[in-house]
Amino acid sequence: MTATLIWILVALVAIGLYLSWTAGRLDRLHARIDAARAALDAQLLRRASVAQELATSGVLDPAASIVLYEAAHAARQAEEEQREVAESELSQALRAVFGESAQVEVVREAPGGEAATHELTEAVRRVPMARRFHNDAVGAARRLREHRKVRWFRLAGHAPVPLSFEMDDEPPAGLADRAA
């Protein structure tokens, strides 16, 4: 009788440890999502800032400057619900302005243009990577939250279901050529 109780107690402790480990893993995934989201926000802000700086530098033609400035300003000022749309519109504006290598060369030839072009190229290159890291973390957390043990024992607590960040982040052809 006591051996049975000991085995039941050992099994309950093992199950408790496993559930505790799973809850800790889920918590670490949520922390990873928060860190990845902060990194993504920083890269998006950097990209919008560089685009806005280029738009006001005077090296672009007036129409391109207006399109780029308005898209960058909208991306920086967007509320959370509209952020994906605003960032996608900035990507489209960047592709419209820097779709050809000739426009990139015009910017490079201006004073300080080489540094500005390099900074924009880096910003445009880093946004898809940051978004991929964020979305990978969201996917891992969502997959873990779908397990029965997580739902049955409510291991996620009251944490909201994480959402991926979906946007158009294709780089402009003129800048993608420089990054390669």
Side-chain angles (χ1 to χ4, degrees), residues 98-119:
F98 296 106
E100 298 176 8
S101 296
Q103 183 65 34
V104 176
E105 292 304 318
V106 168
V107 174
R108 283 185 61 217
E109 292 169 1
E114 182 68 36
T117 304
H118 176 71
E119 192 173 354

Side-chain angles (χ1 to χ4, degrees), residues 86-149:
E87 294 295 344
S88 293
E89 288 173 355
L90 177 56
S91 295
Q92 293 167 1
L94 285 166
R95 279 197 308 273
V97 173
F98 296 106
E100 298 176 8
S101 296
Q103 183 65 34
V104 176
E105 292 304 318
V106 168
V107 174
R108 283 185 61 217
E109 292 169 1
E114 182 68 36
T117 304
H118 176 71
E119 192 173 354
L120 182 62
T121 302
E122 287 299 308
V124 165
R125 185 181 62 82
R126 289 180 179 164
V127 166
M129 287 189 298
R131 189 175 74 87
R132 194 172 317 118
F133 289 143
H134 175 267
N135 288 349
D136 288 348
V138 167
R142 290 181 78 129
R143 283 188 299 278
L144 184 58
R145 287 174 71 122
E146 289 173 358
H147 290 173
R148 272 188 235 127
K149 65 181 176 270

Side-chain angles (χ1 to χ4, degrees), residues 37 41 44-45 48 70-89 165:
R37 181 59 189 241
D41 286 341
L44 291 172
L45 180 62
E70 287 180 354
H73 181 71
R76 290 182 71 176
Q77 301 298 319
E79 296 293 325
E80 194 59 36
E81 307 84 43
Q82 298 298 318
R83 185 91 186 267
E84 293 173 350
V85 173
E87 294 295 344
S88 293
E89 288 173 355
F165 193 86

Side-chain angles (χ1 to χ4, degrees), residues 17 25-26 35 40-41 50 52-53 68 73 85-86 109 117 121 125 141 146 153 167 171:
L17 286 173
R25 180 174 167 222
L26 189 58
L40 175 61
D41 286 341
V50 172
Q52 208 168 16
E53 184 180 315
L68 194 57
H73 181 71
V85 173
E109 292 169 1
T117 304
T121 302
R125 185 181 62 82
E146 289 173 358
F153 293 102
M167 64 171 272

